[in-house]
Amino acid sequence: MEEEAHDKYLLAGRIAARVMEQALRKIKPGRKLLELANFVESEIVELGARPAFPVNISVNEIAAHYSPTAWDSSTFERGDLVKLDIGVHIDGYIADIARSVVVGGGENELIRASEEALRRAIEVIKPGVKTSEIGAIVEKTIRSYGLKPVENLTGHMLSRYSLHSGITVPNVRTRHGDMLREGDVLAIEPFATSGAGRVVDEREAIIFRYLRDRPLRLKESRIILGYVKDHFGALPFAERWIAHLAPRHRLHMALRELAYSGAIYAYKILREKQRAPVAQAEHTVIVTNDGCEVTTRREEI
Ligand code: MN
Ligand code: MN
């Protein structure tokens, strides 16, 4: 990997880790999700980077893809299992990190299982290791707690301005795997649950991504599409980030038209199939010649 790319991956990782640490301290009973989202995203910009995707704040049985809307009034309640998933980029070089906490504090086996699975996965990563071996380690670790990994959520390769490029990293044993190579950048993200071990789509989407220009009927749709193409390119954006472009009901009509026409991709909110709680742990790593370097660990910037 070129030195400049490497430096930017590391800096993005350090910023993501620092913002994560500050944000976790703000998760308290009665606090608003919207307030936390605004803090996370403004802090990323304050530190000289950009969000690589809207901060995901997914609670209890919601596994991923929840991000507060501009009108969100929901608050953290004592005992909630919160997954905070933060993306940061510098010139397109992305860091992707997630942690889980119980609001008000307390021990949680789901969190411990996902964190141990992540730690064990990172320990074995080096060139020549197959993604199927990582999946097997994640599954075995989580099952040793009497829990299940979420089988239809995976880790993924990162590349410049691309969150999901090329290979995926399963959280269960699979028949076939891809071989890791030096210089690969990977987000490893085990999810543990006491439920079925699968997520299903909710109807609603709050996070989207530009796909292509399409003929559109609504004026607002055309305005929004031009704006998101310019500002976010191929990276995901939140409804909240474009809420200033149209009144609420027109915004929703436009987003529906944009998704329906194939101009944007809608990330449906993902919920555990049996409505059981889910915990997630995630780090970004760069594969080195004899192991891997975790970019998203806390160090002084
Ligand atoms: Mn993530
Ligand atoms: Mn990820």
Side-chain angles (χ1 to χ4, degrees):
M1 184 183 293
E2 304 234 342
E3 194 181 330
E4 191 190 332
H6 185 251
D7 288 349
K8 287 177 176 173
Y9 272 122
L10 279 189
L11 183 56
R14 285 176 191 179
I15 290 171
R18 174 164 162 178
V19 174
M20 173 61 75
E21 198 173 281
Q22 293 171 328
L24 289 176
R25 284 191 236 120
K26 291 181 176 286
I27 300 179
K28 297 207 166 113
R31 291 268 183 95
K32 283 194 169 134
L33 274 68
L34 180 58
E35 200 184 301
L36 182 70
N38 287 332
F39 169 77
V40 166
E41 291 166 1
S42 60
E43 196 63 20
I44 290 168
V45 172
E46 192 73 25
L47 292 170
R50 311 285 299 172
F53 52 81
V55 57
N56 285 216
I57 311 175
S58 306
V59 178
N60 297 332
E61 73 272 22
I62 303 302
H65 298 171
Y66 190 86
S67 193
T69 67
W71 308 275
D72 206 298
S73 60
S74 55
T75 55
F76 295 112
E77 304 299 328
R78 189 172 296 279
D80 279 349
L81 176 53
V82 176
K83 292 150 290 289
L84 185 62
D85 193 334
I86 297 175
V88 169
H89 80 88
I90 293 188
D91 289 339
Y93 299 101
I94 299 169
D96 189 357
I97 182 175
R99 291 273 304 275
S100 301
V101 287
V102 176
V103 179
E107 296 287 298
N108 185 290
E109 285 286 283
L110 299 168
I111 298 176
R112 223 176 296 151
S114 62
E115 287 180 352
E116 190 185 333
L118 176 59
R119 197 162 53 241
R120 289 182 182 274
I122 288 170
E123 270 169 19
V124 302
I125 291 176
K126 63 179 182 186
V129 167
K130 285 184 152 191
T131 54
S132 49
E133 296 171 54
I134 300 171
I137 287 165
V138 167
E139 175 167 10
K140 190 174 166 215
T141 307
I142 291 173
R143 285 194 184 274
S144 76
Y145 285 79
L147 300 168
K148 284 183 187 159
V150 175
E151 65 183 26
N152 57 340
L153 289 175
T154 65
H156 47 97
M157 190 179 269
L158 295 161
S159 61
R160 196 172 182 200
Y161 286 110
S162 175
L163 263 173
H164 293 260
S165 69
I167 66 174
T168 59
V169 185
N171 288 319
V172 291
R173 187 183 312 272
T174 54
R175 282 170 62 88
H176 300 286
D178 295 295
M179 189 110 67
L180 302 187
R181 295 174 311 178
E182 184 176 353
D184 285 350
V185 185
L186 302 163
I188 309 295
E189 48 182 317
F191 291 78
T193 181
S194 51
R198 284 192 70 80
V199 290
V200 293
D201 285 357
E202 293 271 42
R203 280 177 55 195
E204 195 189 355
I206 303 173
I207 300 173
F208 306 89
R209 175 167 58 87
Y210 170 82
L211 290 176
R212 61 184 77 85
D213 291 337
R214 298 286 294 159
L216 297 159
R217 192 174 55 82
L218 297 175
K219 187 183 81 185
E220 288 86 349
S221 298
R222 296 191 290 270
I223 290 169
I224 290 168
L225 194 63
Y227 184 90
V228 300
K229 186 182 176 183
D230 271 8
H231 286 76
F232 317 121
L235 292 174
F237 63 91
E239 184 189 296
R240 180 163 36 85
W241 294 358
I242 55 164
H244 60 285
L245 294 177
R248 188 175 179 177
H249 77 284
R250 301 291 298 178
L251 185 76
H252 288 159
M253 280 173 62
L255 285 168
R256 262 199 304 277
E257 183 185 29
L258 286 162
Y260 186 74
S261 69
I264 63 173
Y265 178 81
Y267 293 87
K268 298 284 173 65
I269 294 169
L270 300 174
R271 166 177 69 73
E272 210 285 325
K273 198 176 174 197
Q274 293 180 345
R275 299 182 191 274
V278 179
Q280 174 198 18
E282 180 175 26
H283 272 308
T284 300
V285 306
I286 302 172
V287 181
T288 59
N289 65 340
D290 62 349
C292 72
E293 181 177 29
V294 179
T295 70
T296 39
R297 280 205 179 119
R298 178 78 166 94
E299 277 173 72
E300 287 310 312
I301 294 170

